[in-house]
Amino acid sequence: MAVRAVRGAVQLDRDEAGHMDERVSELLTAVLERNQIVADDLISVWFTATPDLHSDFPAAAARGLGIVDVPLICAQELDIAGAMPRVVRILAHVETYLSKAEISHVYLGATGALRKDIAQ
């Protein structure tokens, strides 16, 4: 078994806590399912949000999914002119038997444009 990093992102339509919870939950669920990961495989998860998102902590969605004993942290993305707005990104560290090449990085909707090289 190896430690791997899994990336992902989702763009929100609006800055509302309920909407953030819904979209981040969708992202986390997709990351877990596509990589055959269960909560016990998670080591830690970093969440970042663009500076225009401030209605809630993205990590709250993970807690709502029952991910309660995994270290989670939220941070703010750099405020870069022209960057895609209302984006939450994740970087999950996991224990898995998947090789690096087998990891499925999840970029939902428009965020696929952020990393065309690894978005699946």
Side-chain angles (χ1 to χ4, degrees):
M1 185 169 292
V3 174
R4 303 281 185 225
V6 184
R7 299 272 323 260
V10 66
Q11 185 177 40
L12 279 62
D13 298 324
R14 59 195 174 278
D15 184 24
E16 294 175 1
H19 181 61
M20 180 179 290
D21 182 70
E22 176 184 306
R23 297 294 284 154
V24 174
S25 293
E26 178 184 6
L27 175 62
L28 284 171
T29 299
V31 165
L32 296 174
E33 289 176 356
R34 292 184 195 180
N35 291 287
Q36 298 118 22
I37 297 168
V38 296
D40 282 346
D41 299 331
L42 293 169
I43 296 169
S44 64
V45 183
W46 282 78
F47 296 85
T48 64
T50 50
D52 52 0
L53 295 175
H54 44 75
S55 62
D56 201 0
F57 294 101
R63 300 291 183 223
L65 290 174
I67 301 171
V68 296
D69 61 350
V70 175
L72 308 174
I73 192 164
C74 297
Q76 188 176 75
E77 283 285 334
L78 296 173
D79 191 8
I80 304 297
M84 186 179 288
R86 300 176 316 281
V87 174
V88 174
R89 292 173 174 85
I90 66 166
L91 174 62
H93 299 97
V94 304
E95 292 179 316
T96 182
Y97 289 105
L98 297 176
S99 69
K100 285 182 185 180
E102 294 172 312
I103 294 292
S104 179
H105 303 283
V106 180
Y107 289 79
L108 299 177
T111 64
L114 295 172
R115 289 298 307 265
K116 292 179 185 177
D117 57 326
I118 63 172
Q120 298 179 4

